[in-house]
């Protein structure tokens, strides 16, 4: 459900005169508060090992429980995208990474508890050697898969499918230089 249907009352004064203001906002006719719902920032990592395999995770929780995902998550308050991705990798996989490279971003829709939240997923590339990830937090399992053997439909989110496709098709990333 999109926010324009979810919020019926003004979060400031509680009035039920909380109306659609424009395509991106609602406005309270009583107190004048205007609420915008802009994309939340999230991060995800392409982690390649020395065999040119991609580290994929199996989601342990909804949404998309059991589907594949890339390590990552939402950016916390007062956190940069660079700090968020290294924190998420440590929390989810127990490994420390450094020298990540921003590669691109993709819009996404994240539905949880009946709310569809727009997100902007920021993708980073990391190259690692001799790491043994251990699934933790909301990751049920993790494993390396050769890039050319990845099944796009195994990924639970549209942004991940688009990102994997874009990454594989891109000539900007030397996948053999690890």
């Amino acid at each position: 459900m999109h926010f324009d249907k979810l919020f019926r009352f003004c979060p400031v004064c509680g009035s039920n005169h909380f109306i659609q203001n424009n395509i991106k906002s609602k406005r309270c006719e009583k107190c004048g508060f205007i609420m915008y719902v802009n994309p939340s920032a999230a991060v995800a990592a392409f982690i390649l090992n020395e065999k040119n395999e991609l580290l994929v995770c199996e989601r342990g929780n909804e949404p998309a429980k059991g589907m594949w995902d890339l390590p990552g998550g939402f950016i916390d308050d007062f956190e940069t995208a660079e700090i968020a991705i290294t924190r998420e990798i440590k929390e989810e996989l127990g490994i420390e990474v450094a020298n990540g490279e921003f590669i691109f971003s993709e819009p996404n829709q994240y539905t949880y508890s009946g709310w569809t939240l727009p997100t902007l997923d920021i993708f980073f590339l990391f190259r690692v050697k001799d790491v043994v990830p251990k699934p933790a937090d909301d990751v049920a399992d993790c494993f390396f898969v050769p890039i050319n053997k990845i099944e796009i439909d195994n990924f639970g989110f549209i942004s991940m499918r688009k990102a994997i496709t874009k990454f594989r098709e891109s000539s900007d990333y030397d996948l053999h230089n690890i």
Side-chain angles (χ1 to χ4, degrees):
M1 176 178 284
H2 198 270
F3 87 99
D4 62 330
K5 306 273 188 286
L6 191 62
F7 291 104
R8 297 181 325 171
F9 300 96
C10 174
V12 172
C13 73
S15 169
N16 65 348
H17 297 283
F18 198 46
I19 63 167
Q20 194 71 33
N21 187 49
N22 60 35
I23 195 166
K24 296 195 278 184
S25 68
K26 291 189 84 168
R27 177 179 48 82
C28 179
E29 293 180 312
K30 183 176 179 189
C31 74
F33 173 72
I34 298 176
M35 179 179 182
Y36 286 88
V37 175
N38 295 310
S40 291
V43 290
F46 286 90
I47 301 176
L48 295 173
N49 66 12
E50 63 276 359
K51 297 177 189 171
N52 202 35
E53 297 170 322
L54 179 66
L55 182 61
V56 247
C57 300
E58 179 186 328
R59 293 186 56 81
N61 299 326
E62 294 295 347
K65 182 178 180 178
M67 300 293 290
W68 286 9
D69 202 357
L70 294 176
F74 287 100
I75 298 174
D76 291 341
D77 289 348
F78 305 104
E79 189 175 52
T80 66
E82 294 84 359
I83 290 172
I85 193 59
T86 57
R87 174 187 52 77
E88 286 286 347
I89 292 169
K90 177 77 172 165
E91 288 174 4
E92 293 182 349
L93 305 170
I95 60 175
E96 306 246 357
V97 293
N99 302 320
E101 170 190 351
F102 166 79
I103 52 176
F104 52 76
S105 61
E106 283 289 334
N108 194 28
Q109 297 285 309
Y110 187 87
T111 302
Y112 187 75
S113 294
W115 172 324
T116 299
L117 177 70
T119 67
L120 179 62
D121 297 349
I122 303 165
F123 292 87
F124 290 88
L125 172 63
F126 294 90
R127 292 177 175 91
V128 297
K129 292 182 181 179
D130 302 321
V131 299
V132 180
K134 295 181 180 82
D137 195 30
D138 57 352
V139 173
D141 196 8
C142 57
F143 40 89
F144 284 97
V145 178
I147 298 280
N148 61 351
K149 302 278 187 200
I150 291 175
E151 295 289 331
I152 298 296
D153 292 337
N154 289 344
F155 286 85
F157 296 108
I158 292 169
S159 65
M160 296 297 153
R161 292 180 193 145
K162 287 181 180 177
I164 296 289
T165 301
K166 184 187 278 188
F167 187 75
R168 285 199 302 200
E169 292 174 352
S170 176
S171 61
D172 295 338
Y173 309 105
D174 181 4
L175 299 178
H176 301 290
N177 182 22
I178 299 181

